[in-house]
Amino acid sequence: MHREHTIYMERYVYASGMRQVNGDLKTGFCLIVLILDLALDSPAVSAFIVGTMFAMAVGLCGVKPKDYIRMMGIPAVFIIFSGIALLFASQDGRRAAEVTLRALGAVSAFYFLILSTTVSELLMTLQKCHMPRLFLELTYLIYRFIFVLTDVWNRIDIAAGARLGYVDYRTSLRTFGAVAGNLFVLSMKRADACYDAMVSRCYTGELRFLEEEKKCRPREWAGILLYVGSLILVRRFLG
């Protein structure tokens, strides 16, 4: 089952306990957290954001802790190496650590957003902010075709493993070359099939999303104010 890691994030979004919360509210909350993470310029605030976003992703969105750590692992590695490079460039260990923590806090806020909000909700929010419709449609199509590509790769990879394609190092290299060669051709066929399916459903060059009405409840506003107040208190008393 480990080969399905490329799509579990999408599953978590639809099974999230935050699924019924207004998408505009979630997007605004994460944007506020991101701005405060950068504006308050405090390692304590950044560390607080990283910890609380992890807790909320696990407690509210239902993400398994090990899966969250795996998802954060890729950007965390790049951020840490960038922090090390900054350390050697600036010779200021404290500043490098602060920048690294701040970047981790920003990524944590972003991950909470994408684990609790569907892409269609995000695009509807951006549309309300008067983003160009062409940009939104291209974003959605690219996002969907990424999953088409990963699904094709998963199927080819599983088939290759079932035929002992990874039995040793030499065979693995040969299998990798064959998989890479077939991936482009098969993914293009899947993309054509998806486009044909869209045309058969009266697609004329404009995507339309059904928006579910979700009211902003007082307790959700209270939760946002409490969290923002907590960030300010952390900055005031912990620096």
Side-chain angles (χ1 to χ4, degrees):
M1 296 301 292
H2 67 284
R3 297 184 186 279
E4 296 183 1
H5 67 279
T6 51
I7 59 174
Y8 63 60
M9 186 178 294
E10 182 85 348
R11 292 203 201 106
Y12 273 132
V13 174
Y14 287 98
S16 171
M18 300 285 289
R19 180 73 174 82
Q20 297 304 317
V21 178
N22 184 276
D24 298 342
L25 189 66
K26 288 182 288 188
T27 304
F29 167 67
C30 292
L31 182 61
I32 291 172
V33 173
L34 177 61
I35 293 173
L36 290 177
D37 177 50
L38 300 176
L40 294 178
D41 193 16
S42 167
V45 170
S46 299
F48 180 81
I49 291 173
V50 172
T52 53
M53 288 298 163
F54 170 76
M56 288 192 295
V58 173
L60 299 179
C61 299
V63 181
K64 296 178 181 178
K66 65 177 182 180
D67 284 347
Y68 185 87
I69 293 172
R70 285 174 59 189
M71 285 185 280
M72 280 291 293
I74 297 176
V77 168
F78 283 100
I79 291 171
I80 291 172
F81 275 106
S82 298
I84 294 173
L86 180 61
L87 171 62
F88 284 106
S90 64
Q91 299 297 317
D92 187 345
R94 178 181 175 84
R95 192 59 182 169
E98 289 177 352
V99 172
T100 301
L101 258 179
R102 199 181 310 164
L104 287 173
V107 172
S108 297
F110 175 72
Y111 264 69
F112 177 74
L113 176 63
I114 62 177
L115 286 169
S116 61
T117 312
T118 63
V119 174
S120 58
E121 285 182 316
L122 288 174
L123 293 181
M124 289 300 298
T125 300
L126 292 175
Q127 184 175 337
K128 293 173 184 175
C129 296
H130 303 289
M131 292 290 291
R133 190 170 186 84
L134 177 62
F135 170 78
L136 299 179
E137 291 180 355
L138 287 175
T139 300
Y140 185 80
L141 290 174
I142 290 170
Y143 174 81
R144 284 301 169 196
F145 282 126
I146 286 174
F147 283 100
V148 170
L149 184 66
T150 53
D151 180 61
V152 171
W153 175 80
N154 277 326
R155 293 173 183 272
I156 296 175
D157 194 47
I158 291 173
R163 292 169 174 77
L164 302 180
Y166 301 104
V167 67
D168 55 41
Y169 180 71
R170 184 174 180 179
T171 306
S172 297
L173 289 179
R174 188 163 55 248
T175 300
F176 176 80
V179 169
N182 291 327
L183 180 60
F184 177 76
V185 176
L186 293 178
S187 61
M188 287 298 295
K189 289 182 178 179
R190 284 289 303 276
D192 287 340
C194 289
Y195 179 76
D196 291 340
M198 292 169 60
V199 172
S200 68
R201 291 166 175 80
C202 302
Y203 173 70
T204 58
E206 181 178 352
L207 294 176
R208 296 181 180 274
F209 301 101
L210 293 177
E211 185 178 11
E212 183 180 355
E213 185 178 356
K214 301 174 183 177
K215 295 182 179 180
C216 300
R217 291 169 287 190
R219 65 179 183 180
E220 294 165 357
W221 284 108
I224 292 176
L225 293 176
L226 179 61
Y227 190 87
V228 171
S230 300
L231 292 181
I232 295 173
L233 289 175
V234 169
R235 176 67 177 88
R236 179 176 179 84
F237 292 106
L238 298 180

